[in-house]
Amino acid sequence: MINNSIWLKGVKTKANKKLSEDIDTDILIIGGGITGLSTAYFLMNKDREITLIDKGKIGYGATSYSTGKVTYLQDTLIKGNSEKEDLYLASQIDAVNMIKNIIIENNIKCNYESNSSYLYATNKKEIKNIKKIENILKRNNIEYKIKNSDLLYNSIYSIKVDNTATINPAKYLLGLKELLNNNIKIYENSIAEDIDYKDSKFVVKVNNNCIRCNVLVVATHYPFLVSLGLIPFKTHVEKSYLTAFNVEKNKKLNAIAQSGNNSIRYYSDDKDYMIYCSCSDKLGKNIDNAKKIGDLSWEVNSKYNTKMKYIWNNCDIMATDFIPLAGKIEKNLYIATGYSTWGITNGSLSAKVIADNILGITNKYTELFNPTRTSNIINLVVSNLSVGKTYILSKLIKNYSFYTNVSVYTKDGIRYGKYIDDKNVEHIVYNKCPHMKCNLIFNSVDKTWDCPCHSSRFDIDGNIVHGPSHYSIKVEKN
Ligand SMILES: Cc1cc2nc3c(=O)[nH]c(=O)nc-3n(C[C@H](O)[C@H](O)[C@H](O)COP(=O)(O)OP(=O)(O)OC[C@H]3O[C@@H](n4cnc5c(N)ncnc54)[C@H](O)[C@@H]3O)c2cc1C
């Protein structure tokens, strides 16, 4: 079994150079995922000087660990406010068409496959919610069919829409990077650590240098500074496990359970595959990753009578109202996050909103996505209670008795984590996330130290694998 995303199979790219001097630019975009690259795409050739940086190599963020569906039939369409529901649905249909056009116009080879999307129910409550979604579709004259969904395991009711698609998201990002490389400056392995504002310019500390810019776009999935839009207080993080395994035939469809807990799609490469996603949970809820993988393996075996070929996990930032937080937060500072597991469409669309705002073009989704909007107070409290609970739990969990080679201990008031590898070598790191000081939990599957509240991850030697933290947890050896 391969412990990595199927989209990264065989991906070999040459990294652009690392930033090694101070530079000035007009627009700086931090982050080379779908949001950052799409923002650069919409801004290029408009007589503006654009620079994009990524802390690692482009194509290794959350986008390349998704299921790669490009669809407007989403589990999160219900917003409890018909005006918002209609506008949000329109935005997603626009995004599906926008991505299709980008791929066709630029001939991006990313296994684009036009197919149908299903939304299915496995119990009565989910049927009730699907009926509400049917009303939203009807109200907006979107054709759908009620299906007898024998195609989907365990489903008792489902609806289907057409004109949706699936892509290989890593190939899409690398296609965009290739296109942009001729038009803008891109630096890789260049991590943004801090932002200052001096003499009417943003000054971003990157590696040991700085970039001065007039306009700053933070497209880092989770904003790396807490002060940027106070995102930790408006969102929570969800984590899911995904697997890919061989099937006899690509049935040319993608589907999601109305609960959001299960999702499937097909993919044809050297062989036909099904990508199956399960075990979605609030980050920190079930910290035993080995058990999750065991459960997933059992599901694949019992439902599809086969074995997992690839296994990986992904996290996404859930906004309390399931609408992206994307746009201007102050001066010429823009952020984009909170895609609530629909970031292929929402990342592209947030990029368009931000690019239009920068260029002074009216965009009808600016207000809907406004990152400074007031959140629904009840959802906000519930979301923060859950993150708070995880934070407190992370403080209480002191040792990991179920792993013999992992321990957490305190020395001179400092908390450390120790992992002993197969060759009996000790790897000691600080056991506190530099982002918001949460204690870290050991992930036995990926061999990483994970923040159970905000999704930062570090390898066994303390290097950052995933933000929002932009500092490592390395212990300097004397
Ligand atoms: C299980 C799962 C399945 C999903 N499937 C789908 C799907 O089928 N369809 C869909 O629409 N959405 C899906 N999503 C959601 C989607 O994957 C994400 O919302 C989206 O990819 C986020 O894009 P991004 O550009 O914000 O982040 P990323 O792709 O993570 O890009 C951010 C980039 O910023 C860089 N970065 C971070 N910090 C710094 C820093 N300090 N300095 C410099 N660079 C930095 C990172 O290296 C990274 O390359 C799924 C999510 C999950 C969890």
Side-chain angles (χ1 to χ4, degrees):
M1 192 166 62
I2 300 166
N3 202 334
N4 202 358
S5 159
I6 189 170
W7 314 125
L8 295 169
K9 176 186 151 198
V11 169
K12 282 194 191 95
T13 54
K14 197 169 160 260
N16 284 30
K17 69 176 184 191
K18 189 173 172 172
L19 185 82
S20 58
E21 58 181 344
D22 293 352
I23 60 165
D24 283 88
T25 187
D26 179 12
I27 303 171
L28 173 64
I29 300 166
I30 309 177
I34 195 152
T35 315
L37 293 171
S38 307
T39 308
Y41 174 82
F42 294 122
L43 287 171
M44 72 179 187
N45 300 331
K46 298 278 190 302
D47 278 339
R48 304 285 298 252
E49 190 193 14
I50 305 158
T51 303
L52 184 146
I53 58 167
D54 197 286
K55 74 173 162 65
K57 271 172 87 177
I58 281 173
Y60 289 82
T63 309
S64 297
Y65 293 82
S66 71
T67 38
K69 294 180 195 162
V70 188
T71 181
Y72 55 88
L73 190 61
Q74 302 171 2
D75 53 320
T76 52
L77 284 179
I78 305 166
K79 313 277 179 216
N81 167 330
S82 56
E83 211 178 308
K84 271 192 189 165
E85 284 166 352
D86 296 352
L87 194 58
Y88 181 80
L89 175 62
S91 77
Q92 301 307 296
I93 294 172
D94 276 356
V96 169
N97 293 329
M98 195 165 76
I99 295 167
K100 181 179 177 184
N101 290 339
I102 294 176
I103 292 170
I104 293 173
E105 277 166 26
N106 300 291
N107 194 19
I108 299 178
K109 299 206 167 24
C110 58
N111 302 74
Y112 179 88
E113 185 181 286
S114 172
N115 53 34
S116 306
S117 294
Y118 287 72
L119 185 68
Y120 67 94
T122 54
N123 59 43
K124 282 189 181 156
K125 188 176 165 222
E126 286 174 26
I127 295 181
K128 217 169 139 193
N129 284 337
I130 292 185
K131 298 271 180 202
K132 286 187 191 162
I133 291 178
E134 285 178 43
N135 276 337
I136 303 175
L137 296 172
K138 265 189 223 155
R139 215 165 53 213
N140 288 281
N141 299 319
I142 308 295
E143 260 185 51
Y144 68 91
K145 290 200 175 79
I146 296 172
K147 295 300 285 184
N148 205 352
S149 38
D150 49 347
L151 288 170
L152 306 166
Y153 187 88
N154 238 6
S155 100
I156 53 171
Y157 184 82
S158 73
I159 57 170
K160 170 194 158 200
V161 300
D162 293 328
N163 302 322
T164 59
T166 47
I167 55 171
N168 174 329
K171 284 192 189 169
Y172 181 62
L173 294 190
L174 295 173
L176 282 179
K177 177 188 163 188
E178 201 181 311
L179 198 72
L180 290 165
N181 250 338
N182 302 322
N183 293 279
I184 69 165
K185 281 189 203 142
I186 301 183
Y187 297 94
E188 292 178 81
N189 297 310
S190 303
I191 184 161
E193 290 179 0
D194 214 348
I195 302 171
D196 208 350
Y197 191 71
K198 259 191 208 153
D199 305 328
S200 308
K201 292 215 176 229
F202 293 102
V203 184
V204 181
K205 187 171 168 252
V206 181
N207 304 337
N208 289 320
N209 298 101
C210 69
I211 305 182
R212 278 178 300 272
C213 60
N214 301 314
V215 180
L216 180 59
V217 181
V218 179
T220 52
H221 193 210
Y222 203 129
F224 63 99
L225 295 177
V226 178
S227 56
L228 292 171
L230 298 176
I231 295 305
F233 306 102
K234 295 181 180 170
T235 58
H236 71 268
V237 183
E238 263 186 34
K239 177 173 174 179
S240 310
Y241 274 91
L242 300 96
T243 178
F245 49 87
N246 292 124
V247 287
E248 269 176 22
K249 193 170 155 232
N250 178 340
K251 291 186 177 164
K252 307 254 179 207
L253 65 88
N254 67 79
I256 184 147
Q258 198 285 318
S259 61
N261 267 341
N262 295 96
S263 152
I264 64 167
R265 64 160 284 191
Y266 289 88
Y267 173 62
S268 298
D269 187 6
D270 54 331
K271 291 184 177 155
D272 288 337
Y273 291 91
M274 179 188 277
I275 319 293
Y276 181 77
C277 170
S278 177
C279 316
S280 297
D281 261 329
K282 280 188 175 164
L283 201 64
K285 195 168 170 210
N286 286 313
I287 56 169
D288 189 349
N289 293 278
K291 178 174 180 310
K292 284 195 166 191
I293 291 186
D295 291 350
L296 191 57
S297 168
W298 181 84
E299 264 190 75
V300 170
N301 194 270
S302 58
K303 288 181 182 173
Y304 300 101
N305 195 22
T306 187
K307 284 195 173 132
M308 305 194 289
K309 206 157 174 191
Y310 292 81
I311 174 94
W312 69 98
N313 66 65
N314 198 13
C315 289
D316 209 19
I317 324 300
M318 312 295 288
T320 49
D321 54 5
F322 305 121
I323 297 175
L325 294 148
K328 189 186 263 196
I329 50 171
E330 58 175 75
K331 297 191 184 84
N332 284 324
L333 176 58
Y334 297 82
I335 57 164
T337 187
Y339 301 149
S340 310
T341 73
W342 295 107
I344 305 282
T345 45
N346 278 317
S348 310
L349 209 59
S350 298
K352 182 79 174 98
V353 167
I354 290 174
D356 282 352
N357 283 203
I358 293 173
L359 298 171
I361 301 168
T362 309
N363 186 304
K364 64 178 171 182
Y365 305 121
T366 302
E367 258 328 291
L368 183 69
F369 286 13
N370 181 357
T372 61
R373 68 181 179 266
T374 20
S375 306
N376 173 322
I377 193 75
I378 296 170
N379 289 349
L380 197 69
V381 170
V382 171
S383 166
N384 274 302
L385 276 181
S386 114
V387 177
K389 192 174 133 203
T390 309
Y391 179 84
I392 292 164
L393 274 177
S394 88
K395 295 277 165 201
L396 292 179
I397 295 171
K398 290 223 162 26
N399 57 54
Y400 304 92
S401 51
F402 47 98
Y403 307 134
T404 47
N405 53 349
V406 178
S407 58
V408 173
Y409 59 93
T410 305
K411 195 174 151 196
D412 299 332
I414 299 173
R415 209 176 135 106
Y416 295 93
K418 180 161 78 178
Y419 167 72
I420 304 173
D421 69 21
D422 300 345
K423 294 183 181 125
N424 226 11
V425 177
E426 289 187 352
H427 301 260
I428 298 175
V429 295
Y430 291 115
N431 186 266
K432 197 160 278 197
C433 180
H435 173 236
M436 285 185 80
K437 311 292 174 229
C438 307
N439 289 346
L440 302 166
I441 311 272
F442 193 73
N443 173 340
S444 63
V445 176
D446 301 310
K447 308 261 183 303
T448 51
W449 290 96
D450 297 357
C451 165
C453 314
H454 308 106
S455 78
S456 293
R457 295 173 67 194
F458 307 85
D459 70 16
I460 49 171
D461 294 313
N463 300 300
I464 311 165
V465 176
H466 191 274
S469 173
H470 49 285
Y471 293 114
S472 77
I473 51 164
K474 282 181 175 194
V475 174
E476 297 307 331
K477 290 193 179 113
N478 295 325

